[in-house]
Amino acid sequence: MPDGGIGASNKRREDVRFLTGSGNYTDDINLRGQAHAAFVRSQVAHGKLKKVDTKAAAKMPGVIRIFTGKDFEGIGGLPCGWCVTDRLGNPMQEPAHPVLAQGKVRHVGDPIAVVIAETYEQARDAAEAVEVDIKELPAVIDMKAALNDGAPKVHDDLSSNLCYDWGFVEENREAVDKAIRGAHHVTTLELVNNRLIPNAMEPRVAIGDYNAGTGDSTLYTTSQNPHVIRLLMGAFVLGIPEHKLRVVSPDVGGGFGSKIFHYAEEAFCTFAAKQLKQPVKWTCQRSESFMTDAHGRDHVTKIELALDKDGTFLAVRTDTHANMGAYLSTFAPSIPTWLHGTLMAGNYKTPLIYVNVKAVFTNTVPVDAYRGAGRPEATFQLERVIDKAAREIGMDPIALRRKNFVTEFPYATPVAVEYDTGDYVATMDKLEQIADLKGFDKRAAESKKKGLLRGLGVNCYIEACGIAPSNLVGQLGARAGLYESATVRVNATGGLVVMTGSHSHGQGHETSFPQVVAEMIGIDPSMVEIEHGDTDKAPMGMGTYGSRSIAVGGSAMVRATEKIIAKAKKIAAHLMEASDADIELKDGRFSVAGTDKSVAWGDVTLAAYVPHNYPLEDIEPGLEETAFYDPSNFTYPAGAYACEVEVDPETGKVKVCSFAAADDFGNIINPMIVDGQVHGGIGQGIGQALLENCVYDSDGQLLSASYMDYAMPRADDVPFYSVDHSCQTPCTHNPLGVKGCGEAGAIGSPPAVVNAVVDALQRGGHTHVTHIDMPVSPARVWAAMQG
C-alpha cells in the first residue's frame, strides 16, 4: 500500500489555496461587461402587491433595466423536488413559488423587483428609489394558530395553511395507542427544536451569462449540487434544454444544506442575462442572507415513551408541527417526514412507533435542510424523553439506554429502515472511557467549591446517510434520482483526473477522494486530481448533502476505477503475452501470477494511448471510464456523546467544560478530515443548544436579522473535544464499507448539552426542572431555576 492511501491522515491539499487567498469563489468571478443586480424585497410579511412604480428609479445613473413580477408571467416558478402524501394517501398542497412576487408578498424578504445597473452601488441606490405599494394583511407566524379556522391564509388558492398531515407508520397507529394506554409508565415531553439561520461563511452569489452566438446560458453559483440546479432551473423554470445550460459551482465557502436548493436569484440572473445580452451578477449581502437563505429546524413536538416495569421500551408516539415557511423549498417536505420519522427508532429496539407530522405554511422564510436535516430533530426529542424517563423511573440514563440497545444486526426497525451493522454497546463503552465518566463526581465537587453546578449529559444517535436507492425514494415522493457518478480519465503518462458529481464545499474531497483511487491502483495520491462543480465536465450527479459523498460518490469512483483496472489488465496481458485472468496489480505494477514478469502502471497507460503492441480489434485505445452508483440502502453511522457543563446559579450562564464523542463511521478514509467534520458539527450543535435562535414577532418581522441579535458560537463557547472513531462496523452494501460523517456532530450534540444542563440543575436541588427549550440561554436557565 502506498503512503497516503486509505486510512492515512493526509493534509488537505485544497487548504493551500484557501489559506493563501488563491481560492476561486463565485464572487471572485467577474465577466467582461457584466451588470449588477440589486433586489427590492418586501418589508412586510404578508400583503397584496398593489403597485410597483419604477419610473424614478429607472432614470437614475447607471440603471440598465428594472424587472418586476410582470416580466415573469408565463414563466415557471421554483419547483419543489419532493412530494409527500398525507395519512390518507392524498398529495400535499403545493403552492406556486414565483421568481418575483406576483400579486402578493408572503414573507419579509420576498423579492418584488430587481434593478440592473452598471455598478452594484448604482443598482442598490436605484432599488431604494423603487416605490412599492402594499396593502398589508394579517400575518400568521405561529404554526398552531395557522391551522385554526379563520386564520389568514398564506396562499389564497389553497384550502388551508396545512401542507400535509403525515402519519407513519399509519398501520401501527392503533397498536401504539393501545401500548401507551396499557404501559406501566409513560413519559411525556413537549419541546421545541428552535429555528436556525445557516450562516455559511460565504454568502450566496449568482452570475448569469448568455452567449448570443450559440444560444448557450451559463450560471455561476454557490451551489452544493450544480447538476440538480441545471435540471430544476432549466427544465421547470426557464425552459432551457440541459445541453444549452451550463452550471458552474467553483469553490464554495460552506453550505450546511442551505446551498442545496434552487433559489430565485439563480433563475433571475440566468433569465436577465439572456434578456439583456450581457452578464448579470448578484452578490448576497449578509442582511439579505438572514431573510432569504432557507432556514432550518423549527419543529414543535410532543413525544411519549411507554416503558414496562423493568424499563423496556414498549412504544413511542410523536406529534410534530413542522414549519414550511411561506413556500416549499426544494426538499422541504421530506425533512420532517422521511428524514425524520424513519429515524425515530434511534439506537433502540422499540417495537412500536408512530409519527405524526403536520407541515404548516406561515409568513416566514422557507425552511429546508440544515446540517443533519430531520435526523437532529428526531434524535433530540428521542434522547431528551429517554433522559426524562430515566429520572422518572429512578434508573441511570446510561443503563436505561444500554438495556434497550439494538444488539443484533441486521435489524429491521418498525419505521421501515434496516440497520445493516452497528455496535452501540462498543461506542458507549468507548465513550465512558474517553469521557472519564468515573471521574465526574470529583469534577462536580470541584465545581461546587466554586459555587457552580456541574452536570453530565449523555446520549446516543443514529442517522441515515447516502439517501437511496432511487427507486425507493421515488416511491416516497422524490422527483429526482439519488445516485452519484464519476468519470476516471487516465492520461498517457499515468496521472488521473476524476470528474465527480459530488461537490466539495469544506469536506476535503480533493484530498480524500484521491486516497481511494490511489489505494486501488497502488500509486501516490498526488497523481490523482479531482474535478467537480461544472456540469460541462462531470457526468450528471446529485451533488453533496446528507453525508453521501464518500458513501455514494466514492463508490461511483470505485466502480469507475475498477473498469479502468480491468481494461488496463487486458493491455498489460498483451504487453506480457499472458492471459488477462493471470494479471495482478499491486503497488502500481502489473505482474503475471507465478512469474517474475511485470510492467509498470505508467507503461500500461502509455500503451493505452500509443497502441503499438496490442490488437485494436480486441481493445480500443484510450483509458477512460464512467460509472453511476445507486446504493441499495442507506448507511447508518451511530455513536454516543457526553457533555459536561457548569451552570452559574446566580446568572444561569452555562459553560461547556468538556465534550466527548465516540462514533462508528465504518471504514475511515482520512481520520484527520473525519475529526474535523465531527468538530465542526459539534460546534454547530452547541451553537443551537446554547446560543442560536431565529425569532419573528407577531407581525412577521425578523427580530434576529443580524449578528447583533443572532448569537453565533465563538471559540470561547466551545471546549477542546475528545473524539474517537475506533469502533468501526463497516457498511455491508457499498464497496468501501464507509458510512458518512459530516452531520454526526450536529445530530448528537444538542441533546447532550441540554441533558447536561438539566442534570446540573437537578443535582443542584432544582428537581422541578425537567426540560428547557433550546437555546438554553442564561435567561431561560435562571427562569427555570426560579420555577
Side-chain angles (χ1 to χ4, degrees):
M1 182 185 79
D3 292 339
I6 290 176
S9 289
N10 294 358
K11 291 183 178 180
R12 289 172 28 127
R13 62 171 72 171
E14 51 267 68
D15 286 351
V16 174
R17 69 176 186 273
F18 296 150
L19 295 173
T20 58
S22 302
N24 183 36
Y25 296 90
T26 308
D27 192 54
D28 293 325
I29 299 171
N30 290 290
L31 305 179
R32 183 177 180 181
Q34 75 184 11
H36 295 264
F39 280 74
V40 179
R41 301 185 183 276
S42 177
Q43 297 181 17
V44 302
H46 195 200
K48 289 185 177 180
L49 194 57
K50 298 178 67 177
K51 186 179 181 180
V52 181
D53 189 342
T54 63
K55 294 185 181 67
K59 297 176 182 178
M60 293 183 69
V63 173
I64 298 170
R65 181 171 169 180
I66 301 176
F67 291 84
T68 67
K70 289 184 178 180
D71 294 293
F72 283 84
E73 291 177 355
I75 294 175
L78 305 183
C80 180
W82 203 297
C83 180
V84 167
T85 55
D86 67 14
R87 294 192 298 111
L88 303 178
N90 300 313
M92 66 187 187
Q93 294 201 92
E94 188 172 359
H97 187 176
V99 174
L100 296 179
Q102 297 179 4
K104 203 176 182 185
V105 292
R106 296 179 173 86
H107 68 88
V108 172
D110 213 355
I112 297 171
V114 190
V115 176
I116 308 297
E118 294 173 3
T119 69
Y120 171 71
E121 290 75 17
Q122 291 171 332
R124 181 189 60 196
D125 291 345
E128 293 177 356
V130 174
E131 297 182 9
V132 179
D133 184 6
I134 297 175
K135 179 183 178 181
E136 191 167 357
L137 299 172
V140 59
I141 307 302
D142 180 84
M143 286 185 281
K144 293 183 179 180
L147 299 181
N148 291 339
D149 292 339
K153 287 203 292 185
V154 179
H155 296 273
D156 297 334
D157 55 331
L158 302 186
S159 61
S160 69
N161 291 320
L162 181 66
C163 178
Y164 55 76
D165 182 356
W166 183 79
F168 191 73
V169 174
E170 195 64 26
E171 292 77 10
N172 290 351
R173 188 172 190 173
E174 289 187 8
V176 169
D177 292 346
K178 182 179 179 181
I180 290 176
R181 284 195 303 268
H184 176 78
H185 182 86
V186 177
T187 295
T188 302
L189 181 61
E190 296 187 23
L191 48 80
V192 173
N193 205 294
N194 43 324
R195 179 184 278 236
L196 303 176
I197 299 173
N199 282 304
M201 185 176 293
E202 175 202 29
R204 292 187 294 114
V205 183
I207 306 172
D209 191 20
Y210 179 70
N211 186 325
T214 63
D216 292 341
S217 293
T218 300
L219 169 68
Y220 301 89
T221 184
T222 48
S223 175
Q224 298 177 215
N225 46 359
H227 282 98
V228 174
I229 302 304
R230 184 183 68 173
L231 174 64
L232 295 177
M233 185 178 75
F236 298 102
V237 184
L238 301 180
I240 304 173
E242 285 184 90
H243 67 284
K244 305 299 287 182
L245 175 61
R246 178 188 180 197
V247 177
V248 180
S249 182
D251 289 331
V252 172
F256 313 114
S258 69
K259 294 175 183 173
I260 298 172
F261 325 119
H262 177 35
Y263 287 96
E265 295 86 0
E266 295 169 322
F268 173 79
C269 288
T270 307
F271 173 82
K274 184 175 182 179
Q275 295 291 308
L276 301 176
K277 304 295 189 293
Q278 70 181 113
V280 174
K281 181 176 184 177
W282 169 78
T283 297
C284 188
Q285 303 303 300
R286 183 61 68 178
S287 58
E288 280 185 292
S289 294
F290 275 83
M291 59 183 179
T292 62
D293 290 3
H295 293 173
R297 314 291 193 248
D298 205 353
H299 287 191
V300 176
T301 296
K302 176 182 177 181
I303 180 170
E304 298 163 282
L305 172 64
L307 307 91
D308 70 11
K309 60 183 177 59
D310 297 318
T312 300
F313 298 167
L314 301 177
V316 168
R317 180 171 63 196
T318 75
D319 181 23
T320 292
H321 287 74
N323 205 332
M324 294 289 101
Y327 303 101
L328 290 177
S329 182
T330 307
F331 292 116
S334 67
I335 307 306
T337 52
W338 299 112
L339 297 184
H340 160 248
T342 54
L343 273 297
M344 282 309 304
N347 307 63
Y348 313 104
K349 50 191 178 190
T350 311
L352 292 168
I353 299 173
Y354 179 74
V355 180
N356 178 241
V357 177
K358 296 177 179 65
V360 185
F361 293 111
T362 62
N363 293 116
T364 62
V365 172
V367 180
D368 209 318
Y370 174 72
R371 197 170 190 170
R375 283 71 56 89
E377 295 90 322
T379 299
F380 183 72
Q381 56 186 278
L382 184 60
E383 292 298 320
R384 282 294 299 119
V385 79
I386 291 173
D387 234 51
K388 186 170 184 278
R391 297 189 187 281
E392 290 178 351
I393 66 174
M395 193 170 182
D396 177 77
I398 294 177
L400 181 60
R401 288 174 169 87
R402 286 182 178 274
K403 180 178 182 63
N404 288 280
F405 275 159
V406 174
T407 55
E408 296 182 3
F409 296 88
Y411 174 76
T413 76
V415 279
V417 295
E418 182 175 281
Y419 306 157
D420 59 331
T421 60
D423 191 340
Y424 311 145
V425 173
T427 51
M428 183 61 81
D429 289 345
K430 178 58 68 174
L431 178 73
E432 293 196 37
Q433 175 191 336
I434 65 174
D436 184 24
L437 297 191
K438 292 180 179 180
F440 173 78
D441 289 340
K442 180 180 179 181
R443 295 189 293 274
E446 293 170 353
S447 297
K448 187 176 181 179
K449 291 177 183 178
K450 297 184 293 182
L452 302 174
L453 308 177
R454 195 177 191 99
L456 169 66
V458 174
N459 66 272
C460 300
Y461 80 90
I462 189 168
E463 66 161 323
C465 302
I467 303 168
S470 295
N471 64 341
L472 172 60
V473 296
Q475 296 172 34
L476 302 181
R479 290 166 169 166
L482 293 175
Y483 53 84
E484 199 44 83
S485 63
T487 293
V488 176
R489 177 180 297 158
V490 184
N491 298 317
T493 53
L496 296 90
V497 177
V498 179
M499 291 157 281
T500 172
S502 297
H503 188 278
S504 183
H505 39 276
Q507 292 85 353
H509 292 173
E510 293 174 43
T511 301
S512 56
F513 283 1
Q515 292 180 241
V516 173
V517 177
E519 172 89 6
M520 295 178 68
I521 298 172
I523 57 178
D524 192 275
S526 63
M527 296 179 65
V528 184
E529 288 291 320
I530 302 297
E531 288 191 358
H532 64 89
D534 188 337
T535 60
D536 271 10
K537 294 181 179 180
M540 177 73 176
M542 292 295 105
T544 295
Y545 46 86
S547 304
R548 72 191 301 269
S549 294
I550 194 64
V552 188
S555 294
M557 283 190 295
V558 169
R559 295 301 185 223
T561 305
E562 287 173 344
K563 293 180 181 181
I564 291 288
I565 292 172
K567 183 175 180 180
K569 284 183 175 181
K570 291 182 179 180
I571 297 173
H574 279 282
L575 296 179
M576 293 185 287
E577 298 180 336
S579 168
D580 57 309
D582 295 327
I583 301 300
E584 298 175 343
L585 173 61
K586 184 178 181 182
D587 296 336
R589 293 194 70 84
F590 295 91
S591 60
V592 180
T595 75
D596 59 357
K597 289 184 177 181
S598 69
V599 62
W601 166 257
D603 294 332
V604 173
T605 61
L606 181 62
Y609 292 94
V610 186
H612 293 167
N613 296 308
Y614 58 87
L616 294 180
E617 62 269 18
D618 294 337
I619 308 172
E620 63 183 28
L623 201 52
E624 180 174 325
E625 298 288 350
T626 296
F628 289 79
Y629 180 79
D630 199 349
S632 60
N633 192 4
F634 299 126
T635 65
Y636 298 99
Y641 286 8
C643 176
E644 289 187 26
V645 301
E646 286 182 335
V647 177
D648 185 340
E650 298 297 320
T651 65
K653 171 70 174 175
V654 176
K655 176 186 176 182
V656 179
C657 302
S658 65
F659 201 103
D663 296 290
D664 174 6
F665 296 133
N667 293 335
I668 304 294
I669 305 301
N670 185 309
M672 181 195 70
I673 287 178
V674 170
D675 285 350
Q677 289 285 302
V678 175
H679 286 189
I682 294 172
Q684 284 183 275
I686 291 174
Q688 176 178 11
L690 296 182
L691 300 163
E692 299 183 52
N693 197 27
C694 176
V695 181
Y696 285 90
D697 70 11
S698 59
D699 294 323
Q701 293 296 325
L702 182 59
L703 301 181
S704 53
S706 75
Y707 290 133
M708 294 295 290
D709 301 295
Y710 188 91
M712 295 285 286
R714 301 184 181 190
D716 60 354
D717 292 313
V718 299
F720 286 99
Y721 310 120
S722 176
V723 301
D724 180 273
H725 34 75
S726 61
C727 300
Q728 298 177 9
T729 59
C731 175
T732 60
H733 52 78
N734 67 54
L736 289 169
V738 294
K739 293 187 175 183
C741 68
E743 297 164 299
I747 294 170
S749 53
V753 175
V754 178
N755 286 348
V757 173
V758 172
D759 182 65
L761 299 186
Q762 290 264 337
R763 291 173 185 269
H766 302 281
T767 55
H768 62 281
V769 180
T770 59
H771 178 70
I772 304 174
D773 277 326
M774 299 185 293
V776 185
S777 62
R780 289 184 176 184
V781 174
W782 190 88
M785 288 191 293
Q786 308 314 308

